[in-house]
Structures are given as C-alpha cells and as structure tokens.
Amino acid sequence: MATALPTAGPLVERTFTPEVEAELEALCARYPERRAALLPALRLCEREFGSVDLGGMKLVARLLGLAPAYVLGVVSFYTHFRRPTDGTYVIEVCRTLPCALRGADDFMQHVERKLGIKAGETTKDGMFTLKDAECMAACDKAPLIQLNGHNQELLDPKTFDALVDQLKAEPEAFELRKGCRDPFPWTKPADPAAQRTRPEGERDYEHEALTHEPTLLRRCYKGRATTLAEYQADGGYAGLKKALALPPQQVTDMVKDSGLRGRGGAGFPTGVKWTFIPGEDKVPGPRYLVINCDESEPGTFKDRRLIEEDPHLLLEGIAISCHAIKSQHCYIYIRGEMVLGAERLEAAVQEAYAAGVFGPDALGKGRRLDCTVHRGAGAYICGEETALLSSLEGGRGYPRLKPPFPAIKGAWGQPTIVNNVETICNVALILGRGLDWYKSLGTPPSPPDLYPKLPRGGAGSRGPKIWCVSGHVQRPGLYDVPFGVSLKQLIFDERFCGGMRPGRKLKGVIPGGSSFQILKADEVDVPLCFDAVANAGSSCGSAGVIVLDDSTNIVMALVNVLRFYHHESCGQCTPCREGSGWMLKIVERIAAGAGTLEDLDTIDAIANQACGKTICVLAEAFSWPAQSYIAKFRDEFVEHIKQGRNLTGGRLCAPGGSGK
C-alpha cells in the first residue's frame, strides 16, 4: 500500500517566524476549513526546517487546531514529504512499466553501484538518498530520475555519473531546473502536403491527422512557460470574453453540444456532468471547480506539459467553466512530484490575478473568482476524484462511496465538479475557436450497428487530442492528433512514432495507460476513439499508449504493473488491499518458475472477486491488466510454468531489448 513509514527520531520543538505564520494564515484563508491547509502547511515545514519531522508536525497541529496524531496519520499516508533521515539530495528512480521498457531496471542497478547504496538507503556522508519512484509523468524521457523534485531526463550511466560528480564537486553551480529534455517536439503538422487516401465525400481520418495543425501543444516546447502577454497576443482569453457575454446555462449547453468527453480516463461527457450541479434553490452555498492535475497513471504525461508550458490555456478554461457552473473558487490539485509545474502554475495564476482574470470582479457584475494551486504529496489514488477531494480537505487520500456524486456533494459538502487538465483546456478552445470548428475534429457518435460491443451506439469522440506514446517505439512523445487516426498508423507511420526499433516486431499495445487491457499486434488497426477502442476490448483511458515489442517478457511486464497498483492501493477495501498483494505474489511465483497452471485460474478468480466490489476502481486497475495479459498471452504464462524456471533471468526485456 502507498503508506510511508511514520517519521521517527527525537522531538525537536519547532516554531515559525511571524512572517511564516502570516503566510500560513493567508493560506488558511483560501479554504473553507483550516484543516484543508494541512498539506500546504507541511510544505512550509519542508521549506523552513528542511524536512517534515515530529516537531514540525506538532507545530502544524497546534496552528491548525488538529490533534498531533491526526497530522501524523496524514503524513504517514503520503510518500513525497522529505523525512529527517533524507540526505541533502533525494534521488528517485522511476521503474514503472514505460520506464522499465526503456531500460530503467538496468539503469537503477548502475545508480546503486555509483552511489554505493540500495533503494531506501542514504550514503554515509548524508549527501544522497536513493528511492524508488512511482511514475513521474515523463514516460517518454526514460531513463530518468527526480533530483529533489526536479526531473533529470534521458539519462544513461555516463550522464548520471557526470551529474553525481558535479553535485559532489560544485553543488552550488548545479541547476536543478535544467534537466528536462525534448528530443521530439511536436508543434507542426506531421505532413501538411499529405494526399487524401479516401474518396471525396468520405471522412479521411488519416489525412486529417497528418495535416492537423496542433492546437493543444502549439505554444509548448519553448523550455519555459508562455506568459500572459504572449497568450493574449496569440488570441488567448478571447473565449473568456465570449463566455462572460453569455448566460451560464448557454455556456454549459455549448460544452454539452460540443461532444467534449473527459480526458482523464473515464471519457464521461463533460457538459452532461456539469448539468448534475443542483440549483441554488435546492442546495444553497458555494459551488467548486476542482482541477485534477494528479497525473500519475504510468504511460500518461500530457497534463504536465500543458501546465509547465501553456498554463494560461488551463486558466482560461477554468474561468469559463466557473462561469458556466456558477463557481467562485477553483482549486487545482497538482501532484506533489510536479515541483516545476506548480511553480509555473503559481506564477501564471498571479499574472491572471493582476490582469483581472481572477479577483473581485473576474466574472463581471461584482462576482469574484479565486484560484488556488494545491500540491499533493505522492499518492496515485488521489487521481480518483473523491480521493482527491479527501486530500484537498486535509485528509488521507481515501476514496468515498458514490452516490452522492461530487456534483451533488463534493468538496466541503458542496456541489463540486472535478475535471482533468486537458478537459478544461478543451473548454477554452470550444469558446475561443467556436463550436463548429471543434465539432469538425474527431469522430461523430457511432450508430448501434458499427461496434457490436456497443449495442446502443457510442457517444463519439470530438475535438483535438494529445496521445502519450511511450515504450518500444523510435520516437516516443506527445502527439497532438485528433481522434480517428488509427493506433497502427500512430505507431508505425514514419511521420509519427516511426515504428519499432531495428530488428524488433510489435508484441502488444496498452492504449490508455497501464491500468487498461492490452491489445495484441494483430489488433492495433483500430481507430483511436473512445467507441472503437472500447469495442476492441480496451479503452482510450488517459491516452497513455504503451508499446511493447517482441523482446518483452509479458510475465515480468505484469509483475511490474501489479507491483505498482499494490503499492498504490490506499488499503480501505479488503478486495483491493489483499487481492492486489495476493495477485502480485502469484505472478511473481510464476515469473520465478515456481507457478502452477491452477495459478492462472486463481488470478482470474481474484480479479472477479475484486472488480465492482470496492469503493473506487483501483481493483479494476490491477485486475484488467492481469486478465487481459493472461488471456492474450496465455502460452507464455503456461511456458513459464511448465519450464519451471525463470526464462529471462528476471528481466522485463530480453538482453539487448531495452533502451533506445
């Protein structure tokens, strides 16, 4: 489970300076309850005292009116707070599936040799602490590490050694924020001169994809955030002006008519979701918009790019959405690991306040609008909307039973809409570029006879889209391509990902992030849209396309996935808490060559006993991959079992199969 060890050691009495206490009071004023400022207060402890220790927790408890035991309970749930035992530099290595496919396991072994320590240990001089990390939302940049919260990307043993040597020799000269790399920036059409492949009068999705002018990423890849002035000069905030001239219900109707579906994983129609907010005559009091920026699904890394390099696109979408749902406060819940993203987002929010986008008359006629950036602290489960709300309110990230749904009873018991970053960026485009333009992109609703597994038809997939491609392709990265392009074309076309590495063949693809079902190589000629991928037996999910070639040991791939979800289970529900652990042990036993054929039936039984029987869908997140991997590659599991030995020496990829 994702539960960090409680902070140990002697109690050192801590105090804040009057200036820091005033800063804390200003933070508390941004929330309906003081308790909600708990995570920000603990971040102040990190900044002022270097870590979150017992004295800091006791101080925060007193200042927020909480029991010290409660604060300790919250701190012990999250993994990202600095501990008193941490060294000067905390090095975290990601080894989740996308990174492992690019050689992260071998890289970790080199890191351990270079530092002379294992994961969880600190060097004798107290300079370095090494930790395993859980997905850093930079899956196209593996191998990578986080160094005191900042990404150092596309590393190899030589560059890592140079990094460590520089830190030892000249720590003051090392720039933490200079570690990001962009090998394949995607801001232009793949092929503006591409010819049509379908007869005139028919939709030609291949042609549309190749000639599409990227819209969501068009201001990215500058190595810095787009300023408010640059955003406005490029037409930014024009959509907000249009929205404020319309009644809120009309804006909601436009979003509903656009066909926009949530980009965070579930694909629920955004405008329909907004209509669930009850009228003020039924539920008086504030309404809240909460942005889910807890991007931590292995394989997904689009939202990080948007907040780091085009934050005003999100902020414009927020202002429009708040007008539509009659909210006067938005909270952006951002992953604790996204230190750079939080810094740039905070700066953009301050720019927006100065320009009147937020503030006392932001929504016109004296209607105030506020926006607060709220950092999490390392827990995958907080990507689930109700767990996110629990964390936002100052608690552990425990999911809540539904109903009531957040739109009825959400943050602080009030109607709340929770939307993903990319979803709200699309709202800005709908108002800014127009409804007709938006509906011209993507796929329309599908009739009942098109996809047999959708007997009532599908809702379609409108608008632009960012696809996150990682794993065994020539050019992993972000692809701003509308719905409708085929998964096969995205992977193999030289103008997109460029196919497999030399000498390798495609083995399987996970289309929507590591929690979804895998497709075999002969199943990837499918349009990338919610309806078609669902009919193929998987999901677009959060658009995390993970590509596996024939060097991959599918049993070890499943071990990797299960290890992640077992670690990230919050532990509330027995089928998830225990089932994820049982399933991991069984698959590890198979991988070691000690499994039995009955184990495959046991795995399926555990999955069936867990799915649909927990508060949230994390049970499905580990069950769906297990069932699909075994169903699609059963012969490999059987071979492991019958051979009675580990066929690849415990490696995820055959020797020479990982890396670039």
Side-chain angles (χ1 to χ4, degrees):
M1 293 183 298
T3 303
L5 292 174
T7 304
L11 175 61
V12 178
E13 295 293 341
R14 301 290 192 183
T15 58
F16 285 145
T17 64
E19 292 77 14
V20 177
E21 281 206 30
E23 188 177 349
L24 176 59
E25 289 304 312
L27 285 170
C28 291
R30 302 194 69 82
Y31 300 91
E33 298 175 354
R34 290 181 67 83
R35 185 185 75 165
L38 178 53
L39 295 190
L42 293 168
R43 293 294 183 190
L44 291 179
C45 286
E46 282 186 318
R47 190 189 74 191
E48 297 298 310
F49 312 132
S51 68
V52 176
D53 61 7
L54 292 174
M57 285 187 272
K58 182 180 177 183
L59 170 65
V60 168
R62 177 176 62 80
L63 293 175
L64 296 183
L66 301 170
Y70 177 86
V71 176
L72 175 59
V74 170
V75 171
S76 68
F77 180 82
Y78 298 98
T79 61
H80 201 253
F81 290 119
R82 287 185 66 94
R83 309 303 194 204
T85 53
D86 287 345
T88 304
Y89 297 101
V90 176
I91 295 175
E92 298 176 275
V93 181
C94 180
R95 289 194 287 171
T96 51
L97 183 59
C99 288
L101 293 171
R102 303 291 291 193
D105 289 335
D106 289 343
F107 177 73
M108 180 61 156
Q109 292 179 9
H110 176 82
V111 170
E112 291 177 335
R113 288 194 298 270
K114 174 67 176 177
L115 299 178
I117 56 176
K118 297 289 186 181
E121 298 177 348
T122 300
T123 55
K124 291 181 180 179
D125 61 4
M127 190 169 189
F128 297 103
T129 293
L130 180 61
K131 297 182 180 181
D132 274 313
E134 302 299 339
C135 193
M136 298 173 185
C139 311
D140 57 333
K141 312 293 185 60
L144 75 154
I145 66 171
Q146 276 207 331
L147 180 62
N148 286 0
H150 290 274
N151 281 14
Q152 313 296 317
E153 300 167 347
L154 291 171
L155 298 176
D156 55 31
K158 184 178 179 180
T159 54
F160 177 77
D161 290 353
L163 181 154
V164 171
D165 292 342
Q166 183 182 353
L167 282 172
K168 289 180 177 179
E170 300 178 285
E172 296 84 5
F174 191 90
E175 296 186 56
L176 289 173
R177 293 165 179 80
K178 296 294 185 178
C180 296
R181 301 287 182 267
D182 289 314
F184 307 117
W186 189 260
T187 57
K188 301 293 182 182
D191 185 0
Q195 300 298 308
R196 288 183 57 87
T197 60
R198 306 292 299 173
E200 289 294 335
E202 290 186 26
R203 286 291 297 273
D204 190 338
Y205 292 108
E206 178 179 340
H207 179 259
E208 289 178 15
L210 290 170
T211 57
H212 174 69
E213 186 77 39
T215 52
L216 288 160
L217 296 177
R218 63 193 300 260
R219 285 178 289 269
C220 295
Y221 297 106
K222 299 185 299 294
R224 60 176 177 81
T226 300
T227 65
L228 184 142
E230 290 172 325
Y231 184 70
Q232 287 178 318
D234 197 35
Y237 288 113
L240 175 59
K241 292 180 180 178
K242 294 178 185 176
L244 294 180
L246 301 173
Q249 184 59 51
Q250 189 171 342
V251 177
T252 297
D253 290 342
M254 287 181 67
V255 173
K256 187 176 178 181
D257 187 29
S258 73
L260 171 62
R261 295 172 65 172
R263 306 303 202 233
F268 192 83
T270 303
V272 174
K273 189 176 189 177
W274 290 3
T275 65
F276 296 158
I277 290 271
E280 293 170 301
D281 56 329
K282 295 181 179 179
V283 181
R287 278 92 176 98
Y288 297 108
L289 175 66
V290 176
I291 305 301
N292 188 340
C293 190
D294 192 70
E295 184 178 46
S296 47
E297 172 85 356
T300 311
F301 46 96
K302 56 192 173 62
D303 294 346
R304 174 193 281 273
R305 174 69 62 181
L306 290 169
I307 62 167
E308 287 183 355
E309 300 196 22
D310 198 9
H312 284 284
L313 179 63
L314 172 62
L315 299 186
E316 181 178 15
I318 284 171
I320 293 169
S321 303
C322 284
H323 172 61
I325 68 171
K326 301 180 181 179
S327 170
Q328 292 185 284
H329 205 137
C330 172
Y331 294 91
I332 305 173
Y333 187 101
I334 182 172
R335 283 188 71 190
E337 293 88 340
M338 293 183 181
V339 177
L340 180 62
E343 290 177 356
R344 290 182 174 176
L345 203 50
E346 284 277 14
V349 168
Q350 294 309 310
E351 281 188 305
Y353 268 103
V357 176
F358 303 124
D361 192 38
L363 298 177
K365 299 179 181 178
R367 295 179 300 161
R368 185 176 185 87
L369 176 59
D370 287 300
C371 183
T372 298
V373 178
H374 184 100
R375 283 184 66 199
Y380 167 83
I381 195 62
C382 290
E384 194 278 334
E385 63 177 3
T386 62
L388 184 154
L389 295 177
S390 296
S391 182
L392 176 65
E393 293 175 353
R396 290 180 164 221
Y398 281 155
R400 302 169 180 175
L401 283 170
K402 294 183 287 190
F405 290 89
I408 307 299
K409 186 177 181 181
W412 300 286
Q414 289 299 122
T416 302
I417 292 296
V418 183
N419 280 137
N420 164 265
V421 168
E422 188 188 359
T423 307
I424 296 300
C425 288
N426 270 264
V427 171
L429 295 177
I430 292 168
L431 271 294
R433 295 204 170 195
L435 197 54
D436 291 340
W437 169 84
Y438 193 86
K439 293 172 70 174
S440 72
L441 299 175
T443 63
S446 56
D449 59 346
L450 183 59
Y451 300 119
K453 293 183 180 179
L454 306 175
R456 292 182 293 178
S461 307
R462 300 286 200 185
K465 185 74 191 78
I466 303 176
W467 304 98
C468 319
V469 187
S470 62
H472 292 148
V473 290
Q474 295 277 25
R475 291 191 296 275
L478 294 173
Y479 291 86
D480 188 337
V481 180
F483 290 102
V485 63
S486 77
L487 179 56
K488 181 178 180 179
Q489 185 187 10
L490 183 65
I491 294 171
F492 285 100
D493 197 305
E494 288 296 329
R495 294 163 291 188
F496 293 128
C497 295
M500 301 294 100
R501 297 162 303 155
R504 292 295 178 185
K505 297 179 180 179
L506 178 64
K507 183 170 190 172
V509 182
I510 308 162
S514 67
S515 62
F516 289 102
Q517 298 91 335
I518 195 168
L519 300 177
K520 294 186 74 173
D522 60 359
E523 298 176 306
V524 300
D525 194 6
V526 57
L528 276 172
C529 63
F530 289 109
D531 301 340
V533 177
N535 187 69
S538 188
S539 173
C540 284
S542 51
V545 180
I546 307 173
V547 182
L548 293 71
D549 70 20
D550 57 358
S551 73
T552 307
N553 179 337
I554 201 69
V555 180
M556 292 305 300
L558 182 55
V559 168
N560 184 295
V561 170
L562 292 176
R563 186 180 294 131
F564 173 82
Y565 289 106
H566 175 53
H567 179 269
E568 295 301 328
S569 171
C570 77
Q572 254 194 125
C573 304
T574 301
C576 179
R577 181 186 66 244
E578 303 300 330
S580 60
W582 294 345
M583 194 179 287
L584 174 60
K585 289 178 182 178
I586 293 170
V587 179
E588 285 179 330
R589 187 168 70 236
I590 294 173
T596 67
L597 292 176
E598 289 76 16
D599 285 338
L600 302 181
D601 295 329
T602 302
I603 291 170
D604 192 55
I606 292 171
N608 291 333
Q609 291 164 13
C611 289
K613 300 175 178 66
T614 54
I615 293 175
C616 78
V617 294
L618 199 137
E620 282 79 355
F622 69 79
S623 296
W624 288 344
Q627 290 178 310
S628 74
Y629 287 25
I630 292 172
K632 299 291 179 69
F633 299 96
R634 190 177 183 88
D635 55 334
E636 289 194 34
F637 285 86
V638 171
E639 185 180 7
H640 268 269
I641 292 167
K642 288 185 175 181
Q643 289 285 337
R645 61 187 176 87
N646 191 313
L647 300 178
T648 58
R651 299 175 65 94
L652 174 61
C653 298
S658 61
K660 300 171 187 175

